[in-house]
């Protein structure tokens, strides 16, 4: 099955950019004779550009001109600390993880995110120590941006290897009736959550193999595990089918892994299955030869995260209450960030091919405890443990 995932990655890395219409030279008006409508006036190229931009051309996520000027002399800033990259580090789980690692004094954090200025602002708000982090632009919906980010990272860190990589960024579009597309033509959810990270990991593997005790963590989810309440009982269930969509190239108009019509909520769950399967395959192929520890984790249900920004307002108000007092799966952003940081920082988390969880396996709803809240469903509190993934995830 991972062979088809690899095929899809090859397709992703081969994608390029079409010329920008905005760069076409302005031409004077002319006229042509149409066999149907007689003589027709042709508008100026500028006018045609405006019409195409408004009606046909999709909005690009990343243009080559947006490439950051590489930051240099990072080795002086990093010092003796471990170098860690966190994707999606400008909000939610990623931001809280980045702040936790930076405040230990043991890690220098590269905040890989779409909006560098936002990352600078929120890092200050989180009181991340000066000199403990640097924001860098990364648009996972563009293979060109992923490659540019890796080039800039290598320029910044110079000869020292990357120690840790946390693949956290994700998009979730459950209410969209039609698929959105990445710059390379992949459905947005799969393109960002899986393909973008797949490429990023592969581009950094050789460099990380030179580091001591290197770790890669790709954030998973119970929604991709059919042996949990959220993944097995909540419709729709993740189902990759026979990878028919990947076999067709996984590009527009193909929007789902199984080749079926677009379903936003299922697209997210499918992407999480692919994330967790990738961890198992990376372990199988590279752990023994490189020493890199590959793992996944479920941080708990962060019911107030921006991941649910596509949901209706009533849902965003009711969902945290429901997860706190009914299922027991709720965890706050700060604790979730600490959990993700633990997978990277804790010496006891040095085992590869593990799916880490806390406070129960989320395979049942929580049990009522003395504090009046249900426990054991993956929510707040509890100790870290090696969780069991579903057969669908293990079918790599």
């Amino acid at each position: 099955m991972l062979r088809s995932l690899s095929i899809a990655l090859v397709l992703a890395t081969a994608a390029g950019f079409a010329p920008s219409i905005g760069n076409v030279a302005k031409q004077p008006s002319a006229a042509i004779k149409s066999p149907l409508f007689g003589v027709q006036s042709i508008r100026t190229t500028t006018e045609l550009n405006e019409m195409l931009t408004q009606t046909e051309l999709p909005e690009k996520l990343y243009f080559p001109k947006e490439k950051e000027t590489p930051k240099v002399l990072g080795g002086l800033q990093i010092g003796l600390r471990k170098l860690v990259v966190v994707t999606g580090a400008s909000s939610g789980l990623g931001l809280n993880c980045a702040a936790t690692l930076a405040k230990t004094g043991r890690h220098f954090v590269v905040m890989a995110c779409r909006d560098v200025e936002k990352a600078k602002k929120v890092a200050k708000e989180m009181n991340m120590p000066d000199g403990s982090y640097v924001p860098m632009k990364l648009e996972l919906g563009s293979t060109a941006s992923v490659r540019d980010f890796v080039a800039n990272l290598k320029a910044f860190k110079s000869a020292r290897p990357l120690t840790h990589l946390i693949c956290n960024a994700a998009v979730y579009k459950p209410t969209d009736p039609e698929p959105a597309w990445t710059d390379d033509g992949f459905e947005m959810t799969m393109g960002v959550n899986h393909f973008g990270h797949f490429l990023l990991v592969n581009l950094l593997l050789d460099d990380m193999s030179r580091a001591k005790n290197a770790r890669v963590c790709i954030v998973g989810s119970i929604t991709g595990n059919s042996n949990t309440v959220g993944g097995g009982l909540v419709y729709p269930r993740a189902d990759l089918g026979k990878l028919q969509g990947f076999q067709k190239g996984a590009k527009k108009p193909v929007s789902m892994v199984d080749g079926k019509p677009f379903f936003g909520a299922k697209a997210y769950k499918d992407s999480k299955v692919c994330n967790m399967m990738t961890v198992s395959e990376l372990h199988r192929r590279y752990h023994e030869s490189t020493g890199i520890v590959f793992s996944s984790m479920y941080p708990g249900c962060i019911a107030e995260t921006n991941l649910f920004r596509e949901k209706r307002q009533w849902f965003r108000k009711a969902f945290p209450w429901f997860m706190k007092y009914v299922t027991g799966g709720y965890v706050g952003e700060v604790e979730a960030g600490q959990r993700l940081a633990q997978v990277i920082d804790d010496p006891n988390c040095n085992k590869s091919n593990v799916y880490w969880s806390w406070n129960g396996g989320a395979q049942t709803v929580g049990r009522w405890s003395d504090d009046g809240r249900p426990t054991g469903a993956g929510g707040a509190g509890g100790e870290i443990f090696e969780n069991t993934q579903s057969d669908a995830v293990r079918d790599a």
Side-chain angles (χ1 to χ4, degrees), residues 220-221 224-225 272-280 296 355 389 393:
S221 173
N225 273 302
K272 288 289 116 179
V273 173
C274 290
N275 284 161
M276 294 182 284
M277 290 175 67
T278 298
V279 167
S280 296
S296 185
Y355 172 57
Q389 300 193 99
V393 173

Side-chain angles (χ1 to χ4, degrees), residues 74-152:
L76 297 177
Q77 298 181 52
I78 299 167
L80 299 178
R81 292 172 292 188
K82 297 177 180 178
L83 180 61
V84 54
V85 168
V86 183
T87 69
S90 63
S91 66
L93 176 62
L95 173 59
N96 282 276
C97 172
T100 299
L101 290 173
K103 291 175 182 178
T104 66
R106 295 187 293 273
H107 302 275
F108 183 92
V109 181
V110 175
M111 302 174 69
C113 49
R114 299 177 63 185
D115 190 335
V116 171
E117 293 306 314
K118 176 185 176 182
K120 293 177 181 177
K121 179 181 177 181
V122 295
K124 293 291 186 183
E125 294 172 352
M126 294 291 288
N127 296 315
M128 293 175 64
D130 291 339
S132 67
Y133 64 92
V134 61
M136 287 190 187
K137 186 172 182 63
L138 172 62
E139 173 53 74
L140 287 162
S142 164
T143 56
S145 178
V146 174
R147 293 181 180 280
D148 284 347
F149 168 79
V150 170
N152 287 345

Side-chain angles (χ1 to χ4, degrees), residues 204-231:
L204 291 172
L205 276 180
D206 284 345
D207 185 75
M208 294 187 70
S209 67
R210 298 188 294 111
K212 183 178 180 181
N213 300 321
R215 299 183 189 182
V216 174
C217 180
I218 303 179
V219 176
S221 173
I222 61 168
T223 62
N225 273 302
S226 57
N227 62 349
T228 65
V229 174

